Amino acid sequence: MKQNNMLAMILAGGRGSRLHELTNKVAKPAVSYGGKYRIVDFPLSNCANSGIDIVGVLTQYESVLLNSYVAAGGRWGLDARESGVFVLPPREKADADLDVYRGTADAISQNIDFIDNYAPEYVLILSGDHIYKMNYAKMLAYHKEMNADATIAVIEVPMKEASRFGIMNTDGEGHIVEFEEKPEHPKSNLASMGIYIFNWKLLRKMLLTDMKNADSHHDFGKDIIPQLLADNRTLAAYKYQGYWKDVGTIDSLWEANMDLLDSNNELDLNDPTWKIYTEDIPALPQYIGPDAKINRAFITQGCIVEGEVKNSVLFTGAKVGKGAKIIDSVLMPGVEVEENAVVQRALVAEDIHIGSGACVGSADSEHIELIFKRVKGVE
Amino acid sequence: MKQNNMLAMILAGGRGSRLHELTNKVAKPAVSYGGKYRIVDFPLSNCANSGIDIVGVLTQYESVLLNSYVAAGGRWGLDARESGVFVLPPREKADADLDVYRGTADAISQNIDFIDNYAPEYVLILSGDHIYKMNYAKMLAYHKEMNADATIAVIEVPMKEASRFGIMNTDGEGHIVEFEEKPEHPKSNLASMGIYIFNWKLLRKMLLTDMKNADSHHDFGKDIIPQLLADNRTLAAYKYQGYWKDVGTIDSLWEANMDLLDSNNELDLNDPTWKIYTEDIPALPQYIGPDAKINRAFITQGCIVEGEVKNSVLFTGAKVGKGAKIIDSVLMPGVEVEENAVVQRALVAEDIHIGSGACVGSADSEHIELIFKRVKGVE
Amino acid sequence: MANAFGIIASSGTHIKVEGLLDYRPIAAFSFLGRYRVIDFPISNMSNSDIDHIQVYIRRKPRSLVEHLGTGRHYNINSKKGRLQILFAQNSSENDVYNTDIAGYLENIEMIERVHQPYVIIAPSYMVYAANYDTLLQTHIDSGADITLLYHSVDNAKEAFLNCDILNLNKQKGVESIEKNRGSAKNRNIFMDTYIMKKDLFVELIHKAKKMSSMITLPQIVNASCSELDIRGVAHRGYFASITDFKSYFDANMSLIDLKNSLNLFNPEWPIYTRTNDSCPTQYFDNADVKNSVVSNGCLIEGTVENSVIGRGCQIKKGAVVKNCVILANSIIDEDVHVENQVIDKWAQITREREIVAEAGHPGYIRRDDIL
Amino acid sequence: MANAFGIIASSGTHIKVEGLLDYRPIAAFSFLGRYRVIDFPISNMSNSDIDHIQVYIRRKPRSLVEHLGTGRHYNINSKKGRLQILFAQNSSENDVYNTDIAGYLENIEMIERVHQPYVIIAPSYMVYAANYDTLLQTHIDSGADITLLYHSVDNAKEAFLNCDILNLNKQKGVESIEKNRGSAKNRNIFMDTYIMKKDLFVELIHKAKKMSSMITLPQIVNASCSELDIRGVAHRGYFASITDFKSYFDANMSLIDLKNSLNLFNPEWPIYTRTNDSCPTQYFDNADVKNSVVSNGCLIEGTVENSVIGRGCQIKKGAVVKNCVILANSIIDEDVHVENQVIDKWAQITREREIVAEAGHPGYIRRDDIL
């Protein structure tokens, strides 16, 4: 029957505390991005488009919104008969008390029973907070071709930034021979994307051992991968080329949004053969008023623009009043900027009102300003 | 818009330990019943048929199967655009550590944020492990008509059994004036079914107070209802008539299955206007062999009967070999009874094989025998 | 959970929308960029808690069948509820036989098998918001046999010429239904919306059949005005009737005005549609967009004024689009100037530099056409 | 994620199944109680990782449209995949115009817009299990232009009389396709299943159109046998072709034998269908059921032997059902004796005490009929 016998597990437990107030109420994977998406739409749509039917989402911190959001698997077409998105928070078990996940590997260990239900041959481990498009079916084909025990997706980063990443050193045939976490003197510029394919039988065995190891951090990068190397297992590096972004900070989240304004942006959300699916919110089409001025912008349905928008991204339901100016900024869903207000180099959080005539952000700030509280009008 | 502005919360955390080995791996609401159903199909189908769109399922103990099962809301049609079944296990929060639910009321308290998302006017609280058909829309209409702060569904039980239940004493107009948990000398025979409708604003306020009360058991029966009475709130009793069964023991689970064999059984699973929906498993229709003998039986698709079945219920994929006899018994999904084996007054757990010629159970046992381990053949 | 089921009728054979109708029924027409006309009656029903809806289709069913699916996107529970697509055979012998009544008769068992006691019948060529649940209650409380919905207009001389009108007495009793001949300004336009008991509906179908094979539902209701208690109920809010090419164009244009739009769209009464998973629209450096309604998935480098732009359109550099209704996936190439046009799906305007019609007489560009 | 999209063709006009075909196309025929014939080709495709499937319908689409829905129950991802229902207009002028080619031409843009390079075409009137993914690989590896699936039989004199046969050379090259005239016992029955490049398929459609409006796909493929490399691949396992009333009855009966059944049904290759949410079947005190296939939702008090019973049927006390195929929701009343019958949906046999046809010549009871 289905040949793509691979189940995906998305690690979506990150608190994303460097996103400050944006993650006060939602987990990082549920943060809004690109006008109408949430970050987790990317790994989930990638799974759907890669023909993966069963996806487990490992959540932890304050995840009521994330849980409800991903549970509606139909958004990604993942609700056919033998398909589903399953939210997997820590559970109480017959032989173990309720406890948080101790690390990325522990999150999988605690859900061995879930995975066993589907008896997959391969398990794909993903992070829930990266923005990219990848065909995991191709990565699996490479994994099989390489006869690997595990395959890790890697991306070339500028050599000078390599010491910020987990770096994979490979031999001439694409086998990983060494893994260094944030090396001071990197030997290669192949950074791990935190995307792994494992043969399930092997991983299962390793996790059972790892669970009992008191010295382990129960982490893929720190424990499982080094152990595989120590055991002389075949680890393949799958080179990815294309857009990939970890939006860990307000600046990088803003930047990732700004990337969409380029006429030939690498992410290309308009590609009909690899759509990114998301929640479908009933909304009017965009209303562009008689006095509006729009220049380099990414605007979605439900927006009403009566003022000026320049070099900015407007999320669902954002409203820009007459005479208002939005420059180099991101307006998250439901933001309302009243008449004559000015927003510049700012990221305005969901549902925030900027009163008429108010000015937020500034053209020459080093960092992007996050506006997360109502701003009163000045008129 | 939708007038039935009521959200349902199903308490599905019960361990069901009196069901012994049946609940080793699954929570009680996920236990199989009636040939093709699981117990939780009943409250979920009732919700769907009553026009409720949002259902939260509060799980706790070892719920990987239950969680995956209810998450596929499409089984009950609860996956339309503004509809969904959401699994709600205990969560870690910004201001609170991960902890188990301390009681039925605490389970709701810990999910106030979930409920608030939907801003319902009414909240329906249900238990996930009772078998019955009820139109909650009618109960809500009664709640409104009575202008009640809370409405509790009650059922008449034989007076001599009343002391096993939570008993509601009412005035002439259907208002609850007193609540007694398992009273030694019951004043009425109206037993609480554990089904409550609350005005959400009021319940929310009470839960916030209850959470902080160190002396509370955080339980609806023990704390919230008595408090409502103490506060002189209007509590209405909604009298239910019809089949209702708590299948807490092996004997009562067996009995509930046997009830289906009556030609005019009260539950009437064949009623086209109130169907019970469940997982749809690809299976052949029933195969009845050339030498089969079937007499008073409830048999579902995927079964293959080549022997004799009398007064018994066969679940999906059960197989009865040539010459085998199934009498007064329940064969759970995937049970295989080989040639010439005899099963009598027994409940055979999922996927168990009974070897050829073996005999299990006995015609005159006091209790129903639970077979949960493979039985070897004797030939 | 309403006490009624819904019927969405296929539009009558007297309604002709040149061009667009060659490819799909009016129900499947694109409307205001992201909707289809049928989204309005279905959303009205779904919002009114009607969860069993029968949609009648006579011809060109493909796009409508695909758009409707199982109705999940209209918030209809697919187990308890049912969005049922029923087909009326299109007689090619003589169009006069293709009445609404013929379609109902062909599917009469499907109507008889429904268990709700009331039926609400709505047209698939009109755009309005209405709470059928409230109307049903009004109908039941009034004791009337049939309730008809109407909209009072003051431009019946020049508009709504293909619609029926209700003649009402002081008590809102319907004295007759007749064609609007454009003879008076003020008229009560019949919104082709009926509420009655299912049994009466079935009775009327059979009665009509006996009278003539050409008789339609409004005609048999009109013929019953003296025997039955038939009442009109006035509708307020936005109302448009798509009965010809001009009225289709005008209805779209009228909703570019946000004030009109808010008269139809209400966050408490969502109009659902099927998502296409398009990404947001990208406006480039030289984009100049004013007073327009734009759908997602577009790439806009040119000038757009006073227009409705469908999903996935491209307006290239130097292109000028004025007073147009552009349907999904069309391309207006560099330096092309289009004005007063309805441009059907997948069209590409590349070679022709100027396609301009005079105001009040919009032109039509065919689907998949390359100009 | 296969490299191919699927087409499920509507059955040719030369195939007539008396009675049943009046109400629905063969694709929508009930089969073995809980299935419909089309469940087999769609499940084959879904199991072969084909997630874009076009189903062509020419007439009476209602039950098929309802059964197919959006394809979720066939395990087709509704976002990435697509179960597309395409309609071929049924010409009432002259049935000879209603060819498969005419249907493809009518929807040619829908075929051209597909991005998969290969197409697999399967019939909607045959019952078999096959892995199209393996076949596609075989096709690609062989370098053939077209691969055709066939089944070798030894009863072609009396069965498969309305089917085509393949004449093969030693290398499995197809030399010609012709009608089975019943002139030989051993024949390679063509399973009306094609694998080729999409571009070649489109080319053949246009070529056929130029030759004659009456030409069909097997005919144009036959006409191409000398130019193209066309090969046959043998199919093993259960195979039935429903081309007339008798073959429909026989196919159902053949699967009462569990051995045959296991030749078609395989837990690793599930045949999906749309659930009706029926409860299990209830057997009462006096039930006497032997050698039969029974669907869910039945109430059985009588005797059933050697029969296929559809969903929700009632066999009342004293009733005797032998060698019958009973479709859903029919009622066999007390003491009624039926034998060798196909009983269509919603029929009630109440007054007639005995309806018995002779073996080998099954009778047919109409849908909704009361006897």
Side-chain angles (χ1 to χ4, degrees), chain B residues 13-41:
Chain B
R15 241 179 214 257
S17 46
R18 287 179 303 150
L19 285 170
H20 306 287
E21 289 78 6
L22 279 187
T23 49
N24 260 2
K25 276 282 160 191
V26 303
K28 183 175 164 196
V31 165
S32 297
Y33 166 76
K36 62 182 287 198
Y37 307 95
R38 293 183 190 270
I39 296 173
V40 76
D41 288 330

Side-chain angles (χ1 to χ4, degrees), chain D residues 7 14 48 147 195 209 309 357 362 367:
Chain D
I7 282 183
H14 63 291
S48 303
T147 297
I195 303 178
K209 172 67 186 164
I309 312 290
R367 194 176 77 172

